Coordinates of all heavy atoms in Angstrom, one line a residue:
M8 N -13.7 13.7 -9.3 CA -12.4 13.5 -10.0 C -11.6 12.3 -9.4 O -11.6 12.2 -8.2 CB -11.5 14.8 -10.0 CG -10.3 14.7 -10.8 SD -9.4 16.2 -10.8 CE -9.0 16.4 -9.1
K9 N -11.1 11.5 -10.3 CA -10.3 10.4 -9.8 C -8.9 10.8 -9.5 O -8.3 11.7 -10.1 CB -10.3 9.3 -10.9 CG -11.4 8.3 -10.8 CD -11.2 7.2 -11.9 CE -11.8 5.9 -11.5 NZ -11.7 4.9 -12.6
Q10 N -8.3 10.0 -8.6 CA -6.9 10.2 -8.2 C -6.2 8.9 -8.4 O -6.8 7.8 -8.2 CB -6.8 10.5 -6.7 CG -6.3 11.9 -6.4 CD -6.0 12.1 -4.9 OE1 -6.6 11.4 -4.1 NE2 -5.1 12.9 -4.6
C11 N -5.0 8.9 -8.9 CA -4.3 7.7 -9.1 C -4.1 7.0 -7.8 O -3.6 7.6 -6.8 CB -2.9 8.0 -9.8 SG -1.8 6.6 -9.9
I12 N -4.4 5.7 -7.7 CA -4.2 5.0 -6.5 C -2.8 4.7 -6.1 O -2.5 4.3 -5.0 CB -5.0 3.6 -6.5 CG1 -4.5 2.7 -7.6 CG2 -6.5 3.9 -6.6 CD1 -5.0 1.3 -7.5
A13 N -1.9 4.8 -7.1 CA -0.5 4.4 -6.9 C 0.4 5.6 -6.7 O 1.5 5.4 -6.1 CB 0.0 3.6 -8.1
C14 N 0.0 6.8 -7.1 CA 0.9 8.0 -6.9 C 0.1 9.2 -6.4 O 0.7 10.2 -6.0 CB 1.7 8.3 -8.1 SG 0.8 9.1 -9.4
G15 N -1.2 9.2 -6.4 CA -2.0 10.3 -5.9 C -2.2 11.4 -6.8 O -2.9 12.4 -6.5
M16 N -1.7 11.3 -8.0 CA -1.9 12.3 -9.0 C -3.4 12.4 -9.4 O -4.0 11.4 -9.7 CB -1.1 12.0 -10.3 CG -1.1 13.2 -11.3 SD -0.2 12.8 -12.8 CE -1.5 12.1 -13.8
P17 N -3.9 13.7 -9.4 CA -5.3 13.8 -9.9 C -5.3 13.5 -11.4 O -4.5 14.0 -12.2 CB -5.6 15.3 -9.7 CG -4.4 15.9 -9.1 CD -3.3 14.9 -9.1
M18 N -6.4 12.8 -11.9 CA -6.5 12.4 -13.3 C -7.7 13.1 -13.9 O -8.8 12.7 -13.7 CB -6.5 10.9 -13.4 CG -5.3 10.2 -12.8 SD -5.2 8.4 -13.2 CE -6.6 7.8 -12.2
K19 N -7.4 14.2 -14.6 CA -8.5 15.1 -15.1 C -8.8 14.7 -16.5 O -10.0 14.7 -16.9 CB -8.1 16.5 -15.1 CG -7.9 17.1 -13.7 CD -7.5 18.6 -13.8 CE -6.7 19.0 -12.6 NZ -5.4 19.6 -13.0
N20 N -7.8 14.4 -17.3 CA -8.0 14.2 -18.7 C -7.8 12.7 -19.1 O -7.1 12.0 -18.4 CB -7.0 15.0 -19.5 CG -7.1 16.5 -19.1 OD1 -8.2 17.1 -19.1 ND2 -5.9 17.1 -18.8
Q21 N -8.4 12.4 -20.2 CA -8.3 11.0 -20.6 C -6.9 10.5 -20.7 O -6.5 9.4 -20.4 CB -9.1 10.8 -21.9 CG -9.3 9.3 -22.2 CD -10.0 9.1 -23.6 OE1 -10.5 10.0 -24.1 NE2 -9.9 7.9 -24.1
E22 N -6.0 11.4 -21.2 CA -4.6 11.0 -21.4 C -3.8 10.9 -20.1 O -2.7 10.4 -20.1 CB -3.9 12.0 -22.4 CG -3.8 13.4 -21.9 CD -4.9 14.3 -22.4 OE1 -6.0 13.9 -22.7 OE2 -4.6 15.6 -22.5
D23 N -4.4 11.3 -19.0 CA -3.7 11.1 -17.7 C -3.8 9.7 -17.3 O -3.0 9.2 -16.5 CB -4.4 12.0 -16.6 CG -4.1 13.5 -16.9 OD1 -3.2 13.8 -17.6 OD2 -5.0 14.3 -16.4
F24 N -4.8 9.0 -17.8 CA -5.1 7.6 -17.4 C -4.1 6.6 -18.1 O -3.7 6.9 -19.2 CB -6.5 7.2 -17.7 CG -7.5 7.8 -16.8 CD1 -7.9 9.1 -17.1 CD2 -8.1 7.2 -15.7 CE1 -8.9 9.8 -16.2 CE2 -9.0 7.8 -14.9 CZ -9.4 9.1 -15.2
A25 N -3.8 5.5 -17.4 CA -3.0 4.4 -18.1 C -3.7 4.0 -19.4 O -4.9 3.8 -19.4 CB -2.9 3.2 -17.2
N26 N -3.0 4.1 -20.5 CA -3.5 3.7 -21.8 C -4.7 4.6 -22.2 O -5.4 4.2 -23.1 CB -3.9 2.2 -21.8 CG -2.8 1.3 -22.1 OD1 -1.7 1.7 -22.3 ND2 -3.1 0.0 -22.2
G27 N -4.9 5.7 -21.6 CA -6.0 6.6 -21.9 C -7.3 5.9 -21.6 O -8.4 6.3 -22.2
D28 N -7.3 5.0 -20.7 CA -8.5 4.2 -20.3 C -9.0 4.7 -19.0 O -8.5 4.5 -17.9 CB -8.1 2.7 -20.2 CG -9.3 1.9 -19.7 OD1 -10.4 2.4 -19.5 OD2 -9.1 0.6 -19.7
V29 N -10.2 5.5 -19.1 CA -10.7 6.1 -17.9 C -11.3 5.1 -16.8 O -11.6 5.5 -15.7 CB -11.8 7.2 -18.2 CG1 -11.2 8.3 -19.0 CG2 -13.0 6.6 -18.9
E30 N -11.4 3.9 -17.2 CA -11.8 2.9 -16.2 C -10.7 2.4 -15.3 O -10.9 1.8 -14.3 CB -12.3 1.6 -17.0 CG -13.6 1.9 -17.8 CD -14.8 2.4 -17.0 OE1 -15.0 1.8 -15.9 OE2 -15.4 3.4 -17.3
K31 N -9.4 2.8 -15.7 CA -8.3 2.4 -14.8 C -8.2 3.3 -13.6 O -8.6 4.5 -13.6 CB -7.0 2.6 -15.6 CG -6.9 1.6 -16.8 CD -6.0 0.4 -16.5 CE -5.6 -0.3 -17.7 NZ -6.6 -1.2 -18.3
D32 N -7.6 2.8 -12.5 CA -7.5 3.5 -11.3 C -6.1 4.1 -11.1 O -5.8 4.7 -10.1 CB -7.8 2.6 -10.1 CG -9.2 2.1 -10.1 OD1 -10.1 3.0 -10.4 OD2 -9.5 1.0 -9.8
Y33 N -5.3 4.0 -12.1 CA -3.9 4.5 -12.0 C -3.6 5.3 -13.2 O -4.2 5.1 -14.3 CB -2.9 3.4 -11.7 CG -3.1 2.2 -12.6 CD1 -2.3 2.1 -13.8 CD2 -4.0 1.2 -12.4 CE1 -2.4 1.0 -14.6 CE2 -4.1 0.1 -13.2 CZ -3.3 0.0 -14.3 OH -3.5 -1.1 -15.2
C34 N -2.6 6.2 -13.1 CA -2.2 7.1 -14.2 C -1.2 6.5 -15.1 O -0.6 5.4 -14.9 CB -1.7 8.4 -13.6 SG -0.1 8.3 -12.9
R35 N -0.9 7.2 -16.2 CA 0.0 6.7 -17.2 C 1.5 6.6 -16.6 O 2.3 5.9 -17.1 CB 0.0 7.6 -18.4 CG 0.4 9.0 -18.2 CD -0.1 9.9 -19.4 NE 0.3 11.3 -19.3 CZ 1.3 11.8 -20.0 NH1 1.9 11.0 -20.9 NH2 1.6 13.0 -19.9
Y36 N 1.7 7.4 -15.6 CA 3.1 7.4 -15.0 C 3.3 6.1 -14.2 O 4.4 5.8 -13.8 CB 3.4 8.6 -14.2 CG 3.2 9.9 -15.0 CD1 2.2 10.7 -14.8 CD2 4.2 10.2 -15.9 CE1 2.0 11.9 -15.5 CE2 4.1 11.4 -16.7 CZ 3.0 12.2 -16.5 OH 2.8 13.3 -17.2
C37 N 2.2 5.5 -13.8 CA 2.3 4.3 -13.0 C 2.0 3.0 -13.8 O 1.9 1.9 -13.2 CB 1.3 4.4 -11.8 SG 1.6 5.8 -10.7
A38 N 1.9 3.2 -15.1 CA 1.6 2.0 -15.9 C 2.9 1.6 -16.7 O 3.8 2.4 -17.0 CB 0.6 2.4 -17.0
R39 N 3.0 0.3 -16.9 CA 4.1 -0.2 -17.7 C 3.7 0.1 -19.2 O 2.5 0.4 -19.5 CB 4.2 -1.7 -17.5 CG 4.6 -2.1 -16.1 CD 4.9 -3.6 -16.0 NE 5.2 -4.0 -14.7 CZ 4.5 -4.8 -13.9 NH1 3.4 -5.3 -14.4 NH2 4.9 -5.1 -12.7
P40 N 4.6 -0.1 -20.1 CA 4.3 0.1 -21.5 C 3.1 -0.7 -22.0 O 2.3 -0.3 -22.9 CB 5.6 -0.3 -22.3 CG 6.6 -0.1 -21.3 CD 6.0 -0.4 -19.9
D41 N 2.9 -1.9 -21.4 CA 1.7 -2.7 -21.8 C 0.4 -2.3 -21.1 O -0.6 -3.0 -21.3 CB 2.0 -4.2 -21.6 CG 2.1 -4.6 -20.1 OD1 1.9 -3.7 -19.2 OD2 2.3 -5.8 -19.8
G42 N 0.5 -1.3 -20.2 CA -0.8 -0.8 -19.6 C -1.1 -1.4 -18.3 O -2.0 -0.9 -17.6
T43 N -0.3 -2.4 -17.8 CA -0.6 -2.9 -16.5 C 0.1 -2.0 -15.4 O 1.0 -1.2 -15.8 CB 0.0 -4.3 -16.3 OG1 1.3 -4.4 -16.6 CG2 -0.8 -5.3 -17.2
M44 N -0.3 -2.1 -14.2 CA 0.2 -1.2 -13.2 C 1.6 -1.7 -12.7 O 1.8 -2.9 -12.6 CB -0.7 -1.1 -12.0 CG -0.4 0.1 -11.1 SD -1.6 0.3 -9.7 CE -0.9 -0.8 -8.5
Q45 N 2.5 -0.8 -12.5 CA 3.8 -1.1 -12.0 C 3.7 -1.7 -10.6 O 2.8 -1.5 -9.9 CB 4.6 0.2 -11.9 CG 5.0 0.8 -13.2 CD 5.8 2.1 -13.1 OE1 6.1 2.5 -12.0 NE2 6.1 2.7 -14.2
S46 N 4.7 -2.5 -10.3 CA 4.8 -3.1 -9.0 C 5.2 -2.1 -7.9 O 5.7 -1.0 -8.3 CB 5.8 -4.3 -9.0 OG 7.1 -3.8 -9.1
Y47 N 5.1 -2.5 -6.7 CA 5.6 -1.6 -5.6 C 7.1 -1.2 -5.8 O 7.4 0.0 -5.7 CB 5.4 -2.3 -4.2 CG 5.9 -1.5 -3.1 CD1 5.0 -0.5 -2.5 CD2 7.1 -1.6 -2.5 CE1 5.4 0.3 -1.4 CE2 7.5 -0.8 -1.4 CZ 6.7 0.1 -0.9 OH 7.1 0.9 0.2
D48 N 7.9 -2.2 -6.1 CA 9.3 -1.9 -6.3 C 9.6 -1.0 -7.5 O 10.5 -0.1 -7.4 CB 10.1 -3.2 -6.4 CG 10.2 -3.9 -5.1 OD1 10.0 -3.3 -4.0 OD2 10.4 -5.2 -5.1
E49 N 8.9 -1.2 -8.6 CA 9.1 -0.4 -9.8 C 8.7 1.1 -9.5 O 9.4 2.0 -9.8 CB 8.2 -0.9 -10.9 CG 8.8 -2.1 -11.6 CD 7.8 -2.8 -12.6 OE1 6.7 -3.0 -12.2 OE2 8.2 -3.0 -13.7
K50 N 7.5 1.2 -8.8 CA 7.0 2.6 -8.5 C 8.0 3.2 -7.5 O 8.3 4.4 -7.6 CB 5.6 2.5 -7.9 CG 4.9 3.8 -7.9 CD 4.7 4.4 -9.2 CE 4.7 5.9 -9.2 NZ 4.9 6.5 -10.5
L51 N 8.4 2.5 -6.5 CA 9.3 3.0 -5.5 C 10.6 3.5 -6.1 O 11.1 4.6 -5.8 CB 9.6 2.0 -4.4 CG 10.5 2.4 -3.3 CD1 9.9 3.6 -2.5 CD2 10.8 1.3 -2.3
S52 N 11.1 2.8 -7.1 CA 12.4 3.2 -7.7 C 12.2 4.4 -8.6 O 13.0 5.3 -8.6 CB 13.1 2.0 -8.3 OG 12.8 2.0 -9.7
S53 N 11.0 4.4 -9.3 CA 10.8 5.6 -10.2 C 10.5 6.8 -9.4 O 11.0 7.9 -9.7 CB 9.8 5.3 -11.3 OG 8.5 5.2 -10.7
L54 N 9.8 6.7 -8.3 CA 9.4 7.8 -7.4 C 10.7 8.3 -6.7 O 10.9 9.5 -6.6 CB 8.4 7.4 -6.4 CG 7.6 8.5 -5.6 CD1 7.0 9.5 -6.6 CD2 6.6 7.9 -4.7
T55 N 11.6 7.4 -6.3 CA 12.8 7.8 -5.7 C 13.7 8.6 -6.7 O 14.2 9.7 -6.3 CB 13.6 6.5 -5.2 OG1 12.8 5.8 -4.3 CG2 14.9 6.9 -4.6
N56 N 13.8 8.1 -7.9 CA 14.5 8.9 -8.9 C 13.9 10.3 -9.2 O 14.7 11.3 -9.3 CB 14.6 8.1 -10.3 CG 15.5 6.9 -10.2 OD1 16.4 6.9 -9.4 ND2 15.1 5.9 -11.0
F57 N 12.6 10.3 -9.2 CA 11.9 11.6 -9.4 C 12.2 12.6 -8.3 O 12.5 13.7 -8.5 CB 10.4 11.3 -9.4 CG 9.5 12.5 -9.6 CD1 9.4 13.2 -10.8 CD2 8.9 13.1 -8.5 CE1 8.6 14.3 -11.0 CE2 8.1 14.2 -8.6 CZ 8.0 14.8 -9.9
I58 N 12.2 12.1 -7.0 CA 12.5 13.0 -5.9 C 14.0 13.4 -5.9 O 14.3 14.6 -5.6 CB 12.1 12.3 -4.5 CG1 10.6 12.1 -4.5 CG2 12.6 13.1 -3.3 CD1 10.2 11.2 -3.3
V59 N 14.9 12.5 -6.3 CA 16.3 12.9 -6.4 C 16.4 14.1 -7.4 O 17.1 15.0 -7.1 CB 17.2 11.7 -6.8 CG1 18.6 12.1 -7.2 CG2 17.2 10.6 -5.7
K60 N 15.8 13.9 -8.5 CA 15.9 14.9 -9.6 C 15.2 16.2 -9.2 O 15.7 17.3 -9.5 CB 15.2 14.4 -10.9 CG 16.2 13.6 -11.8 CD 15.5 13.4 -13.1 CE 15.8 11.9 -13.5 NZ 14.7 11.3 -14.2
T61 N 14.0 16.1 -8.6 CA 13.2 17.4 -8.4 C 13.6 18.1 -7.1 O 13.5 19.3 -7.0 CB 11.7 17.1 -8.4 OG1 11.4 16.1 -7.4 CG2 11.3 16.6 -9.8
Q62 N 14.0 17.3 -6.1 CA 14.3 17.9 -4.8 C 15.7 17.9 -4.4 O 16.1 18.4 -3.3 CB 13.4 17.3 -3.7 CG 11.9 17.4 -4.0 CD 11.0 16.9 -2.9 OE1 11.4 16.9 -1.7 NE2 9.9 16.4 -3.3
G63 N 16.6 17.2 -5.2 CA 18.0 17.2 -4.9 C 18.4 16.4 -3.7 O 19.5 16.6 -3.1
L64 N 17.5 15.5 -3.2 CA 17.9 14.7 -2.0 C 18.8 13.6 -2.5 O 18.8 13.2 -3.6 CB 16.6 14.1 -1.4 CG 15.5 15.0 -0.9 CD1 14.4 14.2 -0.3 CD2 16.1 15.9 0.2
D65 N 19.6 13.0 -1.5 CA 20.4 11.8 -1.9 C 19.4 10.6 -1.9 O 18.3 10.7 -1.5 CB 21.5 11.6 -0.9 CG 21.1 11.3 0.5 OD1 20.2 10.4 0.6 OD2 21.7 11.8 1.4
E66 N 19.9 9.5 -2.4 CA 19.1 8.4 -2.8 C 18.4 7.8 -1.5 O 17.2 7.4 -1.6 CB 19.9 7.4 -3.5 CG 19.0 6.6 -4.5 CD 19.8 6.1 -5.7 OE1 20.4 6.9 -6.4 OE2 19.8 4.9 -5.9
T67 N 19.1 7.8 -0.4 CA 18.5 7.2 0.8 C 17.4 8.1 1.3 O 16.3 7.6 1.6 CB 19.6 7.1 1.9 OG1 20.7 6.4 1.3 CG2 19.1 6.3 3.1
A68 N 17.6 9.4 1.4 CA 16.6 10.3 1.9 C 15.4 10.3 0.9 O 14.2 10.2 1.3 CB 17.1 11.7 2.0
A69 N 15.7 10.3 -0.4 CA 14.6 10.2 -1.4 C 13.8 8.9 -1.3 O 12.6 8.9 -1.4 CB 15.2 10.4 -2.8
G70 N 14.5 7.8 -1.1 CA 13.8 6.5 -0.9 C 12.9 6.5 0.3 O 11.8 6.0 0.2
N71 N 13.3 7.1 1.4 CA 12.5 7.2 2.6 C 11.3 8.1 2.3 O 10.2 7.8 2.7 CB 13.3 7.7 3.8 CG 14.3 6.7 4.3 OD1 14.1 5.5 4.0 ND2 15.3 7.1 4.9
A72 N 11.5 9.2 1.6 CA 10.4 10.1 1.3 C 9.4 9.4 0.4 O 8.2 9.5 0.6 CB 10.9 11.4 0.7
A73 N 9.9 8.6 -0.6 CA 9.0 7.9 -1.5 C 8.2 6.9 -0.8 O 7.0 6.8 -1.0 CB 9.9 7.3 -2.6
K74 N 8.8 6.2 0.1 CA 8.1 5.2 0.9 C 7.0 5.8 1.8 O 5.9 5.3 1.8 CB 9.1 4.4 1.9 CG 9.7 3.2 1.2 CD 10.6 2.5 2.2 CE 11.7 1.7 1.5 NZ 12.8 1.4 2.3
A75 N 7.3 6.9 2.4 CA 6.3 7.6 3.2 C 5.1 8.1 2.3 O 4.0 8.0 2.8 CB 7.0 8.8 3.9
M76 N 5.4 8.6 1.1 CA 4.4 9.0 0.2 C 3.5 7.8 -0.2 O 2.3 7.9 -0.2 CB 4.9 9.6 -1.0 CG 5.3 11.1 -0.9 SD 6.3 11.7 -2.4 CE 5.0 11.6 -3.6
M77 N 4.2 6.7 -0.5 CA 3.4 5.6 -1.0 C 2.6 4.9 0.1 O 1.5 4.3 -0.2 CB 4.4 4.6 -1.7 CG 4.9 5.1 -3.0 SD 6.2 4.1 -3.7 CE 5.3 2.6 -4.2
A78 N 3.1 5.0 1.3 CA 2.3 4.4 2.4 C 0.9 5.0 2.6 O 0.0 4.3 3.1 CB 3.1 4.6 3.7
K79 N 0.7 6.2 2.1 CA -0.6 6.8 2.2 C -1.5 6.5 1.0 O -2.7 6.9 1.0 CB -0.4 8.4 2.3 CG 0.4 8.8 3.5 CD 0.4 10.3 3.5 CE 1.4 10.8 4.6 NZ 2.4 11.7 4.2
L80 N -1.0 5.8 0.0 CA -1.8 5.6 -1.2 C -2.5 4.3 -1.2 O -1.9 3.3 -0.7 CB -0.9 5.8 -2.4 CG -0.5 7.2 -2.5 CD1 0.8 7.3 -3.4 CD2 -1.6 8.1 -3.1
P81 N -3.7 4.2 -1.7 CA -4.5 3.0 -1.6 C -3.9 1.8 -2.2 O -4.1 0.7 -1.7 CB -5.9 3.3 -2.3 CG -5.8 4.8 -2.6 CD -4.5 5.3 -2.2
A82 N -3.1 2.0 -3.3 CA -2.6 0.8 -4.0 C -1.6 0.1 -3.2 O -1.3 -1.1 -3.4 CB -1.9 1.3 -5.3
W83 N -1.0 0.7 -2.2 CA 0.2 0.1 -1.5 C -0.2 -0.1 0.0 O 0.7 -0.5 0.8 CB 1.4 1.0 -1.6 CG 1.6 1.5 -3.0 CD1 1.5 2.8 -3.3 CD2 1.9 0.8 -4.2 NE1 1.7 2.9 -4.7 CE2 1.9 1.7 -5.2 CE3 2.0 -0.6 -4.4 CZ2 2.2 1.3 -6.5 CZ3 2.3 -1.0 -5.8 CH2 2.3 0.0 -6.8
K84 N -1.4 0.1 0.4 CA -1.7 -0.1 1.8 C -1.3 -1.4 2.4 O -1.0 -1.5 3.6 CB -3.3 0.1 2.0 CG -3.7 1.6 2.0 CD -4.0 2.1 3.3 CE -4.0 3.6 3.5 NZ -5.2 4.2 2.9
S85 N -1.4 -2.5 1.6 CA -1.1 -3.8 2.1 C 0.4 -4.1 2.2 O 0.8 -5.1 2.7 CB -1.8 -4.8 1.3 OG -1.4 -4.7 0.0
E86 N 1.2 -3.2 1.6 CA 2.7 -3.5 1.6 C 3.3 -3.3 2.9 O 3.0 -2.4 3.6 CB 3.4 -2.6 0.5 CG 2.9 -2.8 -0.9 CD 3.5 -4.1 -1.5 OE1 4.5 -4.6 -1.0 OE2 2.9 -4.6 -2.4
Ligands
ZN103 ZN1 0.1 7.4 -10.8

């Protein structure tokens, strides 16, 4: 099973992939509307918002948690 290189989400179904394209290494949540992968900053801000909403952290704490999560993922290793 493939995992999204940008957020770590397991991609089981075709619709989990960006544009429904199983050749892609990232999921639909990490894709822009045109199907290309989001940049580090775009993903960081969406992940930060997600953590604020789901875990109730303030923006600074959520941003640090998001950075720590992203540091482990292959897409952002060079950042
Ligand atoms: Zn993803």
Side-chain angles (χ1 to χ4, degrees):
M8 188 176 60
K9 265 183 158 178
Q10 248 189 333
C11 173
I12 59 166
C14 74
M16 185 181 95
M18 302 189 290
K19 294 183 208 124
N20 305 311
Q21 195 186 341
E22 65 261 28
D23 295 334
F24 290 80
N26 276 0
D28 178 355
V29 296
E30 296 300 311
K31 295 257 196 287
D32 294 320
Y33 48 96
C34 73
R35 62 200 183 101
Y36 301 107
C37 296
R39 300 188 179 115
D41 70 357
T43 56
M44 198 175 85
Q45 293 178 0
S46 70
Y47 181 84
D48 288 337
E49 284 172 310
K50 193 64 211 166
L51 182 60
S52 95
S53 71
L54 195 56
T55 300
N56 288 333
F57 176 78
I58 294 172
V59 168
K60 271 189 224 140
T61 55
Q62 299 184 32
L64 297 180
D65 68 46
E66 210 149 305
T67 310
N71 288 336
K74 273 183 201 157
M76 277 170 70
M77 288 174 71
K79 297 184 188 128
L80 293 160
W83 319 113
K84 280 254 162 76
S85 58
E86 296 287 339

